[in-house]
Amino acid sequence: MHRISTLVLLLLAMSGAWAQNPRVEFKTSMGSFALELYADKAPKTVANFIQYVNGGFYNGTIFHRVIEGFMIQGGGFEPGMREKTTRAPIENEAGLALKAGLKNELGTVAMARTPNPHSATAQFFINVKDNGFLDYREPSPRGFGYAVFGRVVEGMDTVLRISKAPTATVEQHQNVPQRPITIESVTLKPAK
């Protein structure tokens, strides 16, 4: 009996059933916040995001698209709207994440993309309200949705403050904060 219990405990520990989800801490020019990432529900998306975090890609980028009552988007541009070069796009896991209970709700983080469902690279957005219309509906370009892969667990007040920043149009880019909101650093706090 003791051997079976020990084996079960070992298997649970190895499967991550008792492990905490990894956290990512953001320090921005408007304050700090932290995300909890759900690798068990959106594995490719989380692995991609962590790879960008560990490479320092997000440090010095800006929140380049801010819409109060909708979302804040970052992770692709440096000040002056200079787009950063990214790695290849990843598979859209919106359907998988939705089946696991992740929806585009207030405080969740999802991957930004072009109209091509499988075009997400580094850009992400944080929902500042429930945005169910962004969830997966069907495997078509219009219904594929946006893959949720985490949630704000600290500093939602900072996220909401960012969402209220005054914006303007800069060249072809709309909803750009008038004063740059810089992501100073992003740090991974591994699961314990």
Side-chain angles (χ1 to χ4, degrees):
M1 180 70 174
H2 177 66
R3 284 185 185 169
I4 293 172
S5 297
T6 304
L7 180 60
V8 169
L9 291 175
L10 181 61
L11 289 172
L12 283 171
M14 288 174 55
S15 73
W18 285 353
Q20 223 179 9
N21 292 316
R23 289 187 177 208
V24 176
E25 293 182 6
F26 280 73
K27 290 186 180 169
T28 80
S29 56
M30 290 187 71
S32 298
F33 63 89
L35 303 176
E36 182 176 29
L37 307 178
Y38 304 119
D40 57 331
K41 298 176 180 174
K44 293 176 186 175
T45 307
V46 169
N48 175 70
F49 187 76
I50 288 174
Q51 195 172 0
Y52 279 111
V53 168
N54 286 340
F57 181 88
Y58 295 122
N59 300 344
T61 61
I62 58 173
F63 282 98
H64 65 276
R65 186 170 176 237
V66 170
I67 304 174
E68 185 175 4
F70 180 35
M71 60 89 221
I72 64 172
Q73 183 174 335
F77 290 85
E78 296 174 316
M81 295 304 291
R82 290 186 308 272
E83 191 167 6
K84 290 190 77 170
T85 303
T86 62
R87 293 190 314 275
I90 59 170
E91 177 185 349
N92 187 330
E93 293 182 305
L96 179 68
L98 183 63
K99 284 181 188 169
L102 296 180
K103 299 177 182 179
N104 281 280
E105 299 171 323
L106 172 66
T108 58
V109 60
M111 293 305 294
R113 61 173 177 79
T114 69
N116 174 351
H118 304 289
S119 60
T121 56
Q123 291 186 39
F124 60 89
F125 63 91
I126 300 172
N127 291 291
V128 297
K129 76 173 207 72
D130 291 349
N131 291 312
F133 70 97
L134 298 176
D135 292 336
Y136 177 88
R137 291 184 310 282
E138 61 183 351
S140 71
R142 295 187 68 101
F144 221 101
Y146 294 79
V148 174
F149 63 97
R151 178 178 303 278
V152 176
V153 290
E154 292 174 28
M156 191 63 192
D157 57 329
T158 298
V159 171
L160 293 173
R161 192 166 43 254
I162 292 169
S163 77
K164 294 178 177 157
T167 62
T169 298
V170 177
E171 297 170 6
Q172 76 273 21
H173 303 283
Q174 297 178 336
N175 308 301
V176 178
Q178 292 176 4
R179 296 172 72 183
I181 302 168
T182 306
I183 298 171
E184 296 166 353
S185 66
V186 184
T187 309
L188 176 66
K189 302 295 182 187
K192 294 178 182 177

